Coordinates of all heavy atoms in Angstrom, one line a residue:
M1 N -161.4 51.4 37.8 CA -160.5 50.3 38.2 C -159.7 50.8 39.4 O -159.2 51.9 39.4 CB -159.6 49.9 37.0 CG -158.6 48.9 37.4 SD -157.5 48.5 36.0 CE -158.7 48.1 34.7
K2 N -159.6 50.0 40.4 CA -158.8 50.4 41.6 C -157.3 50.5 41.2 O -156.8 49.8 40.3 CB -159.0 49.3 42.7 CG -160.4 49.2 43.2 CD -160.4 48.2 44.3 CE -161.9 48.0 44.7 NZ -162.0 46.9 45.7
R3 N -156.6 51.3 42.0 CA -155.2 51.5 41.8 C -154.4 50.1 41.9 O -153.5 49.8 41.1 CB -154.6 52.5 42.7 CG -153.9 53.6 42.1 CD -153.3 54.6 43.1 NE -154.4 55.3 43.6 CZ -154.3 56.3 44.4 NH1 -153.1 56.7 44.9 NH2 -155.3 57.0 44.8
Q4 N -154.8 49.4 42.9 CA -154.1 48.1 43.2 C -154.3 47.1 42.0 O -153.4 46.5 41.6 CB -154.6 47.4 44.5 CG -153.9 46.1 44.7 CD -154.6 45.3 45.9 OE1 -155.7 45.5 46.2 NE2 -153.8 44.4 46.5
T5 N -155.5 47.1 41.5 CA -155.8 46.2 40.3 C -154.9 46.6 39.1 O -154.3 45.7 38.5 CB -157.3 46.3 40.0 OG1 -158.1 46.1 41.1 CG2 -157.7 45.3 38.9
K6 N -154.9 47.9 38.9 CA -154.1 48.4 37.7 C -152.6 48.0 37.9 O -151.9 47.6 37.0 CB -154.3 49.9 37.5 CG -153.6 50.4 36.3 CD -154.0 51.8 36.0 CE -153.3 52.3 34.8 NZ -153.6 53.7 34.5
A7 N -152.1 48.2 39.2 CA -150.7 48.0 39.5 C -150.4 46.5 39.3 O -149.4 46.1 38.7 CB -150.4 48.4 40.9
L8 N -151.3 45.6 39.7 CA -151.1 44.2 39.6 C -151.1 43.8 38.1 O -150.3 43.0 37.6 CB -152.2 43.4 40.3 CG -152.1 43.4 41.8 CD1 -153.4 42.9 42.5 CD2 -150.9 42.6 42.3
A9 N -152.0 44.4 37.3 CA -152.1 44.1 35.9 C -150.8 44.5 35.2 O -150.3 43.8 34.4 CB -153.3 44.7 35.3
L10 N -150.4 45.7 35.5 CA -149.1 46.2 34.8 C -147.9 45.4 35.2 O -147.0 45.1 34.4 CB -148.9 47.7 35.1 CG -150.0 48.6 34.5 CD1 -149.8 50.0 35.0 CD2 -149.9 48.5 33.0
E11 N -147.9 44.9 36.5 CA -146.8 44.1 37.0 C -146.8 42.8 36.2 O -145.7 42.3 35.8 CB -146.9 43.9 38.5 CG -145.8 43.0 39.0 CD -145.9 42.8 40.5 OE1 -146.5 43.7 41.2 OE2 -145.5 41.8 41.0
L12 N -148.0 42.2 36.1 CA -148.1 40.9 35.3 C -147.7 41.1 33.9 O -146.9 40.3 33.3 CB -149.5 40.4 35.4 CG -149.8 39.1 34.6 CD1 -148.9 38.0 35.0 CD2 -151.2 38.7 34.7
F13 N -148.1 42.2 33.3 CA -147.6 42.5 31.9 C -146.1 42.6 31.8 O -145.5 42.0 30.9 CB -148.3 43.8 31.3 CG -147.6 44.3 30.1 CD1 -147.8 43.6 28.9 CD2 -146.7 45.3 30.1 CE1 -147.2 44.0 27.7 CE2 -146.1 45.7 28.9 CZ -146.3 45.0 27.7
E14 N -145.5 43.4 32.7 CA -144.1 43.6 32.7 C -143.3 42.3 32.8 O -142.3 42.1 32.1 CB -143.7 44.6 33.7 CG -144.1 46.0 33.4 CD -143.9 47.0 34.6 OE1 -143.3 46.6 35.6 OE2 -144.3 48.1 34.4
I15 N -143.7 41.4 33.7 CA -142.9 40.2 33.8 C -143.2 39.3 32.6 O -142.3 38.5 32.2 CB -143.2 39.4 35.2 CG1 -144.7 39.0 35.3 CG2 -142.8 40.2 36.4 CD1 -145.0 38.1 36.5
T16 N -144.4 39.4 32.1 CA -144.6 38.6 30.8 C -143.8 39.1 29.7 O -143.3 38.4 28.9 CB -146.2 38.6 30.5 OG1 -146.9 38.1 31.6 CG2 -146.5 37.8 29.3
Q17 N -143.8 40.4 29.6 CA -143.0 41.0 28.5 C -141.5 40.7 28.6 O -140.8 40.6 27.5 CB -143.2 42.6 28.4 CG -142.6 43.2 27.2 CD -142.8 44.7 27.1 OE1 -142.6 45.3 28.2 NE2 -143.1 45.2 26.0
K18 N -141.0 40.6 29.8 CA -139.6 40.2 29.9 C -139.3 38.9 29.3 O -138.3 38.6 28.7 CB -139.2 40.3 31.4 CG -139.0 41.7 31.9 CD -138.5 41.7 33.4 CE -138.5 43.1 33.8 NZ -138.2 43.2 35.3
K19 N -140.2 37.9 29.5 CA -140.1 36.6 29.0 C -140.5 36.5 27.5 O -139.9 35.7 26.7 CB -140.9 35.6 29.8 CG -140.6 34.2 29.4 CD -140.9 33.2 30.5 CE -140.7 31.8 30.2 NZ -139.3 31.4 30.2
F20 N -141.4 37.4 27.1 CA -141.9 37.4 25.7 C -141.8 38.9 25.2 O -142.8 39.6 25.1 CB -143.4 36.9 25.7 CG -143.5 35.5 26.2 CD1 -143.8 35.3 27.6 CD2 -143.3 34.4 25.4 CE1 -143.9 34.0 28.0 CE2 -143.4 33.1 25.9 CZ -143.7 32.9 27.2
P21 N -140.6 39.3 24.8 CA -140.4 40.7 24.5 C -141.1 41.2 23.2 O -141.2 42.4 23.0 CB -138.9 40.8 24.3 CG -138.4 39.4 24.1 CD -139.4 38.5 24.8
E22 N -141.7 40.3 22.5 CA -142.4 40.7 21.2 C -143.8 41.3 21.5 O -144.4 41.8 20.6 CB -142.5 39.5 20.3 CG -143.2 38.3 20.7 CD -142.4 37.2 21.5 OE1 -141.4 37.6 22.2 OE2 -142.7 36.1 21.3
I23 N -144.2 41.2 22.7 CA -145.6 41.8 23.0 C -145.5 43.2 23.4 O -144.5 43.7 24.0 CB -146.3 41.0 24.1 CG1 -145.6 41.0 25.4 CG2 -146.6 39.6 23.6 CD1 -146.5 40.5 26.6
R24 N -146.5 44.0 23.0 CA -146.7 45.4 23.4 C -148.0 45.6 24.1 O -149.0 45.0 23.7 CB -146.6 46.3 22.2 CG -145.2 46.3 21.5 CD -145.1 47.3 20.4 NE -146.3 47.6 19.7 CZ -146.6 47.1 18.5 NH1 -145.8 46.2 17.9 NH2 -147.7 47.4 17.9
F25 N -148.0 46.4 25.1 CA -149.2 46.7 25.9 C -150.2 47.5 25.0 O -149.8 48.5 24.4 CB -148.8 47.5 27.1 CG -150.0 47.8 28.0 CD1 -150.5 46.9 28.9 CD2 -150.5 49.1 28.0 CE1 -151.6 47.3 29.7 CE2 -151.6 49.5 28.8 CZ -152.1 48.5 29.7
L26 N -151.5 47.1 25.1 CA -152.6 47.9 24.5 C -153.4 48.6 25.6 O -153.5 49.8 25.6 CB -153.5 47.1 23.6 CG -152.9 46.6 22.3 CD1 -153.9 45.7 21.6 CD2 -152.5 47.8 21.4
N27 N -154.0 47.8 26.5 CA -154.9 48.3 27.5 C -155.3 47.2 28.5 O -155.0 46.1 28.3 CB -156.1 49.0 26.9 CG -157.0 48.1 26.1 OD1 -157.1 46.9 26.4 ND2 -157.7 48.6 25.1
I28 N -156.0 47.6 29.5 CA -156.6 46.7 30.5 C -158.1 46.9 30.4 O -158.6 48.0 30.4 CB -156.1 47.0 31.9 CG1 -154.6 47.0 32.0 CG2 -156.7 46.0 32.9 CD1 -154.0 47.7 33.3
Q29 N -158.7 45.8 30.3 CA -160.2 45.8 30.1 C -160.9 44.9 31.2 O -160.4 43.8 31.4 CB -160.5 45.2 28.7 CG -161.9 45.1 28.3 CD -162.1 44.4 27.0 OE1 -161.1 44.2 26.3 NE2 -163.3 44.2 26.6
E30 N -161.9 45.5 31.8 CA -162.7 44.7 32.7 C -163.5 43.6 31.9 O -164.0 43.9 30.9 CB -163.6 45.5 33.5 CG -162.9 46.5 34.5 CD -163.9 47.3 35.3 OE1 -165.0 46.8 35.7 OE2 -163.6 48.4 35.6
H31 N -163.5 42.4 32.5 CA -164.3 41.4 31.9 C -165.8 41.8 31.8 O -166.3 42.3 32.8 CB -164.2 40.1 32.6 CG -164.8 38.9 31.9 ND1 -166.1 38.7 31.8 CD2 -164.2 37.9 31.3 CE1 -166.3 37.6 31.1 NE2 -165.1 37.1 30.8
P32 N -166.5 41.7 30.7 CA -167.8 42.2 30.6 C -168.9 41.5 31.5 O -169.9 42.1 31.8 CB -168.2 42.0 29.1 CG -167.2 41.0 28.6 CD -166.0 41.1 29.5
E33 N -168.6 40.3 31.9 CA -169.6 39.5 32.7 C -169.1 39.0 34.0 O -169.9 38.6 34.8 CB -170.0 38.3 31.8 CG -170.7 38.7 30.5 CD -171.0 37.5 29.7 OE1 -170.6 36.4 30.0 OE2 -171.6 37.7 28.6
Q34 N -167.8 39.1 34.3 CA -167.3 38.6 35.6 C -166.6 39.6 36.4 O -165.7 40.3 35.9 CB -166.3 37.4 35.3 CG -167.0 36.2 34.6 CD -166.0 35.1 34.3 OE1 -164.8 35.3 34.4 NE2 -166.5 34.0 33.8
A35 N -167.1 39.8 37.6 CA -166.4 40.8 38.5 C -165.0 40.3 38.9 O -164.7 39.1 39.0 CB -167.3 40.9 39.8
D36 N -164.2 41.3 39.1 CA -162.8 41.1 39.5 C -162.0 40.2 38.5 O -161.0 39.5 38.9 CB -162.7 40.5 40.9 CG -163.3 41.4 42.0 OD1 -163.2 42.6 41.8 OD2 -163.8 40.9 43.0
R37 N -162.4 40.2 37.3 CA -161.6 39.6 36.2 C -161.3 40.6 35.1 O -162.1 41.4 34.7 CB -162.5 38.4 35.6 CG -161.7 37.7 34.5 CD -162.2 36.3 34.3 NE -161.6 35.6 33.1 CZ -160.4 35.1 33.1 NH1 -159.6 35.2 34.1 NH2 -159.9 34.5 32.0
Y38 N -160.0 40.6 34.7 CA -159.5 41.6 33.8 C -158.7 41.0 32.7 O -158.0 40.0 32.9 CB -158.6 42.6 34.6 CG -159.4 43.3 35.7 CD1 -159.4 42.7 37.0 CD2 -160.0 44.5 35.5 CE1 -160.1 43.3 38.0 CE2 -160.7 45.1 36.5 CZ -160.8 44.5 37.7 OH -161.5 45.1 38.7
W39 N -158.8 41.6 31.5 CA -158.0 41.2 30.4 C -156.9 42.2 30.2 O -157.2 43.4 30.1 CB -158.9 41.1 29.1 CG -159.9 40.0 29.1 CD1 -159.8 38.8 29.8 CD2 -161.1 40.0 28.4 NE1 -160.9 38.1 29.6 CE2 -161.8 38.8 28.7 CE3 -161.8 40.9 27.6 CZ2 -163.0 38.4 28.2 CZ3 -163.0 40.5 27.0 CH2 -163.6 39.3 27.3
I40 N -155.7 41.8 30.0 CA -154.6 42.6 29.7 C -154.4 42.4 28.2 O -153.9 41.4 27.7 CB -153.3 42.3 30.5 CG1 -153.6 42.4 32.0 CG2 -152.2 43.2 30.0 CD1 -152.5 41.7 32.8
N41 N -154.8 43.4 27.4 CA -154.7 43.3 25.9 C -153.4 43.7 25.4 O -152.9 44.7 25.8 CB -155.8 44.1 25.3 CG -157.2 43.6 25.6 OD1 -157.5 42.5 25.5 ND2 -158.0 44.5 26.2
V42 N -152.8 42.8 24.6 CA -151.4 43.0 24.1 C -151.5 42.7 22.6 O -152.4 42.1 22.1 CB -150.4 42.2 24.8 CG1 -150.3 42.4 26.2 CG2 -150.6 40.7 24.5
V43 N -150.5 43.2 21.9 CA -150.3 42.9 20.5 C -148.9 42.4 20.3 O -148.0 42.8 21.0 CB -150.5 44.2 19.6 CG1 -149.6 45.3 20.0 CG2 -150.5 43.9 18.2
G44 N -148.7 41.5 19.3 CA -147.4 41.0 19.0 C -147.4 39.9 18.0 O -148.5 39.3 17.8
E45 N -146.3 39.7 17.4 CA -146.1 38.6 16.4 C -145.7 37.3 17.1 O -144.6 37.3 17.7 CB -145.1 39.0 15.4 CG -145.5 40.1 14.4 CD -146.4 39.5 13.3 OE1 -146.4 38.3 13.0 OE2 -147.1 40.3 12.7
M46 N -146.6 36.3 17.1 CA -146.3 35.0 17.8 C -146.9 33.9 17.0 O -148.0 34.1 16.5 CB -146.9 35.0 19.2 CG -146.2 35.7 20.2 SD -146.9 35.3 21.8 CE -145.9 36.3 22.9
D47 N -146.2 32.8 16.9 CA -146.8 31.6 16.3 C -147.6 30.9 17.4 O -147.5 31.3 18.6 CB -145.8 30.7 15.6 CG -144.8 30.1 16.6 OD1 -145.0 30.1 17.8 OD2 -143.7 29.7 16.1
D48 N -148.3 29.9 17.0 CA -149.2 29.2 18.0 C -148.4 28.6 19.2 O -148.9 28.7 20.3 CB -150.0 28.1 17.3 CG -151.1 28.7 16.4 OD1 -151.4 29.9 16.5 OD2 -151.6 28.0 15.5
D49 N -147.3 28.0 18.9 CA -146.5 27.4 20.0 C -146.0 28.5 21.0 O -146.1 28.3 22.2 CB -145.3 26.7 19.5 CG -145.7 25.4 18.7 OD1 -146.8 24.9 19.0 OD2 -144.9 24.9 17.9
R50 N -145.6 29.6 20.5 CA -145.1 30.7 21.4 C -146.3 31.3 22.2 O -146.1 31.5 23.4 CB -144.4 31.8 20.5 CG -143.8 32.9 21.3 CD -142.4 32.5 21.7 NE -141.7 33.7 22.2 CZ -140.9 33.7 23.2 NH1 -140.6 32.6 23.8 NH2 -140.4 34.9 23.6
E51 N -147.4 31.4 21.5 CA -148.6 31.9 22.2 C -149.0 31.0 23.3 O -149.4 31.4 24.4 CB -149.7 32.2 21.3 CG -150.9 32.8 21.9 CD -152.1 33.1 21.0 OE1 -151.9 33.0 19.7 OE2 -153.1 33.6 21.4
M52 N -149.0 29.7 23.1 CA -149.3 28.7 24.1 C -148.4 28.7 25.3 O -148.8 28.6 26.4 CB -149.4 27.3 23.5 CG -150.7 27.1 22.6 SD -150.9 25.5 21.8 CE -149.7 24.4 22.5
A53 N -147.1 28.9 25.0 CA -146.1 29.0 26.0 C -146.3 30.3 26.9 O -146.3 30.2 28.1 CB -144.7 29.1 25.4
M54 N -146.7 31.4 26.2 CA -147.0 32.6 27.0 C -148.3 32.4 27.8 O -148.3 32.8 29.0 CB -147.3 33.8 26.0 CG -147.5 35.1 26.8 SD -147.9 36.5 25.7 CE -149.6 36.0 25.2
N55 N -149.3 31.8 27.3 CA -150.5 31.5 28.1 C -150.2 30.7 29.3 O -150.8 30.9 30.4 CB -151.6 30.9 27.2 CG -152.1 31.9 26.2 OD1 -152.1 33.1 26.4 ND2 -152.7 31.3 25.1
K56 N -149.4 29.7 29.1 CA -149.0 28.8 30.3 C -148.3 29.6 31.3 O -148.5 29.5 32.5 CB -148.2 27.6 29.8 CG -147.9 26.6 30.8 CD -147.2 25.4 30.3 CE -146.8 24.4 31.4 NZ -146.1 23.2 30.9
F57 N -147.3 30.4 30.9 CA -146.5 31.2 31.8 C -147.5 32.2 32.6 O -147.4 32.3 33.8 CB -145.5 32.0 31.0 CG -144.7 33.0 31.8 CD1 -143.6 32.6 32.5 CD2 -145.1 34.4 31.8 CE1 -142.9 33.6 33.3 CE2 -144.4 35.3 32.5 CZ -143.3 34.9 33.3
V58 N -148.4 32.9 31.8 CA -149.3 33.8 32.5 C -150.2 33.1 33.4 O -150.5 33.6 34.5 CB -150.1 34.6 31.4 CG1 -151.2 35.4 32.0 CG2 -149.2 35.5 30.6
A59 N -150.7 31.9 33.1 CA -151.6 31.2 33.9 C -151.0 30.9 35.3 O -151.7 31.1 36.3 CB -152.1 29.9 33.3
T60 N -149.8 30.6 35.4 CA -149.1 30.3 36.6 C -149.0 31.6 37.4 O -149.4 31.6 38.6 CB -147.7 29.7 36.4 OG1 -147.9 28.5 35.7 CG2 -147.0 29.5 37.7
K61 N -148.6 32.7 36.8 CA -148.4 33.9 37.5 C -149.8 34.5 37.9 O -150.0 35.0 39.1 CB -147.7 35.0 36.6 CG -146.4 34.6 36.1 CD -145.4 34.4 37.3 CE -144.0 34.1 36.7 NZ -143.1 33.7 37.8
A62 N -150.8 34.4 37.1 CA -152.1 34.9 37.3 C -152.8 34.1 38.5 O -153.5 34.7 39.3 CB -153.0 34.9 36.1
M63 N -152.5 32.8 38.6 CA -153.1 32.0 39.6 C -152.6 32.5 41.0 O -153.3 32.6 42.0 CB -152.8 30.5 39.4 CG -153.4 29.7 40.5 SD -155.2 29.7 40.6 CE -155.6 29.0 39.1
N64 N -151.3 32.8 41.0 CA -150.7 33.4 42.3 C -151.4 34.7 42.7 O -151.7 34.9 43.9 CB -149.2 33.6 42.1 CG -148.5 32.2 42.0 OD1 -149.0 31.2 42.4 ND2 -147.3 32.3 41.4
I65 N -151.6 35.5 41.7 CA -152.3 36.8 42.0 C -153.7 36.6 42.5 O -154.2 37.2 43.4 CB -152.3 37.7 40.7 CG1 -150.9 38.2 40.4 CG2 -153.2 38.9 41.0 CD1 -150.7 38.9 39.1
L66 N -154.4 35.6 41.9 CA -155.8 35.3 42.2 C -155.8 34.8 43.7 O -156.7 35.3 44.5 CB -156.4 34.3 41.3 CG -157.8 33.8 41.6 CD1 -158.8 35.0 41.6 CD2 -158.2 32.7 40.7
I67 N -154.9 33.9 44.0 CA -154.9 33.4 45.4 C -154.6 34.5 46.4 O -155.2 34.6 47.5 CB -153.9 32.2 45.5 CG1 -154.5 31.0 44.7 CG2 -153.6 31.8 46.9 CD1 -153.4 29.9 44.4
E68 N -153.6 35.3 46.1 CA -153.1 36.3 47.0 C -154.0 37.5 47.1 O -154.1 38.1 48.2 CB -151.7 36.7 46.6 CG -150.9 37.5 47.7 CD -149.5 37.6 47.3 OE1 -148.9 36.7 46.8 OE2 -148.9 38.7 47.7
H69 N -154.5 38.0 46.0 CA -155.3 39.3 46.0 C -156.7 39.2 45.6 O -157.5 40.1 45.7 CB -154.6 40.2 45.0 CG -153.1 40.5 45.4 ND1 -152.8 41.4 46.4 CD2 -152.0 40.0 44.9 CE1 -151.5 41.5 46.5 NE2 -151.0 40.6 45.6
G70 N -157.1 38.0 45.0 CA -158.5 37.9 44.6 C -158.9 38.4 43.3 O -160.1 38.5 43.0
Y71 N -158.0 38.8 42.5 CA -158.2 39.3 41.1 C -157.8 38.3 40.1 O -156.7 37.7 40.2 CB -157.5 40.7 40.9 CG -158.0 41.7 41.8 CD1 -157.1 42.2 42.8 CD2 -159.2 42.3 41.7 CE1 -157.5 43.2 43.7 CE2 -159.6 43.4 42.5 CZ -158.8 43.8 43.5 OH -159.2 44.8 44.4
S72 N -158.5 38.2 39.0 CA -158.2 37.2 38.0 C -157.8 38.0 36.7 O -158.5 38.9 36.3 CB -159.4 36.4 37.6 OG -159.2 35.5 36.5
F73 N -156.6 37.6 36.2 CA -156.1 38.3 35.0 C -155.8 37.3 33.9 O -155.5 36.1 34.1 CB -154.8 39.0 35.3 CG -154.9 40.2 36.2 CD1 -154.6 40.0 37.6 CD2 -155.4 41.4 35.8 CE1 -154.7 41.1 38.4 CE2 -155.5 42.5 36.6 CZ -155.2 42.3 38.0
A74 N -156.0 37.7 32.6 CA -155.5 37.0 31.5 C -154.9 38.0 30.5 O -155.3 39.1 30.4 CB -156.7 36.3 30.8
V75 N -153.8 37.5 29.8 CA -153.2 38.3 28.8 C -153.8 37.8 27.5 O -153.7 36.6 27.1 CB -151.7 38.1 28.8 CG1 -151.0 38.8 27.6 CG2 -151.1 38.7 30.1
M76 N -154.4 38.8 26.8 CA -155.1 38.5 25.5 C -154.3 39.0 24.4 O -154.1 40.2 24.2 CB -156.5 39.1 25.5 CG -157.3 38.8 26.8 SD -157.7 37.1 27.0 CE -159.0 36.9 25.8
L77 N -153.8 38.1 23.5 CA -153.0 38.5 22.4 C -153.8 38.8 21.1 O -154.7 38.0 20.8 CB -152.0 37.4 22.1 CG -151.1 37.6 20.9 CD1 -150.1 38.7 21.1 CD2 -150.3 36.3 20.5
D78 N -153.5 39.9 20.5 CA -154.2 40.1 19.2 C -153.1 40.2 18.1 O -152.4 41.2 18.0 CB -155.0 41.5 19.3 CG -155.8 41.7 18.0 OD1 -155.6 41.1 17.0 OD2 -156.6 42.6 18.0
N79 N -152.9 39.1 17.4 CA -152.0 39.1 16.3 C -152.3 40.0 15.1 O -151.5 40.4 14.4 CB -151.8 37.6 15.8 CG -150.9 36.8 16.7 OD1 -150.0 37.3 17.4 ND2 -151.2 35.5 16.7
S80 N -153.6 40.2 14.9 CA -154.1 41.0 13.8 C -153.6 42.4 13.7 O -153.5 43.0 12.7 CB -155.6 40.9 13.7 OG -156.2 41.7 14.7
L81 N -153.2 42.9 14.9 CA -152.8 44.3 15.0 C -151.2 44.4 14.9 O -150.7 45.5 14.9 CB -153.3 45.0 16.3 CG -154.8 45.1 16.4 CD1 -155.1 45.7 17.8 CD2 -155.4 46.0 15.3
A82 N -150.6 43.3 15.0 CA -149.1 43.3 15.1 C -148.4 44.0 13.9 O -147.4 44.7 14.1 CB -148.6 41.9 15.3
T83 N -148.9 43.9 12.8 CA -148.2 44.5 11.6 C -148.8 45.9 11.3 O -148.3 46.6 10.4 CB -148.4 43.6 10.4 OG1 -149.8 43.4 10.1 CG2 -147.7 42.3 10.6
A84 N -149.8 46.3 12.1 CA -150.4 47.7 11.8 C -149.5 48.8 12.3 O -148.7 48.6 13.1 CB -151.8 47.7 12.5

């Protein structure tokens, strides 16, 4: 993974975490089938409404990154690990 890609992913995570402090960073994963698409894996306790709000927030920020830099990001929440 390029340094710029990692920096953009971490920046997106940080601004998302400021708005949704219950999430914690796990890792960044390249999409298995799509080039220049990355998943930012996080863990946290969220109900469905809160998760939808986070997804909407991330979509707006990620679209700006895609237009400006050509990389696609998504924040992927795993609730099953939150209590572990």
Side-chain angles (χ1 to χ4, degrees):
M1 176 182 309
K2 295 178 184 176
R3 235 181 286 185
Q4 178 189 24
T5 307
K6 186 174 183 179
L8 289 167
L10 291 174
E11 181 180 332
L12 178 57
F13 167 74
E14 289 171 4
I15 62 173
T16 303
Q17 189 183 42
K18 284 180 184 172
K19 187 155 178 79
F20 301 91
E22 61 269 35
I23 63 170
R24 292 188 328 262
F25 179 82
L26 289 177
N27 60 33
I28 304 165
Q29 176 184 357
E30 291 183 36
H31 191 285
E33 298 174 353
Q34 297 176 353
D36 296 330
R37 180 153 174 79
Y38 301 88
W39 293 334
I40 303 166
N41 296 306
V42 300
V43 62
E45 288 280 339
M46 282 187 181
D47 63 22
D48 290 342
D49 291 338
R50 185 87 169 140
E51 185 177 355
M52 285 180 8
M54 182 184 72
N55 289 339
K56 185 176 178 179
F57 175 82
V58 169
T60 302
K61 303 295 183 191
M63 182 60 68
N64 293 337
I65 293 170
L66 179 61
I67 291 167
E68 194 170 324
H69 300 281
Y71 297 108
S72 176
F73 293 101
V75 173
M76 308 298 284
L77 176 67
D78 186 347
N79 282 330
S80 68
L81 298 174
T83 58

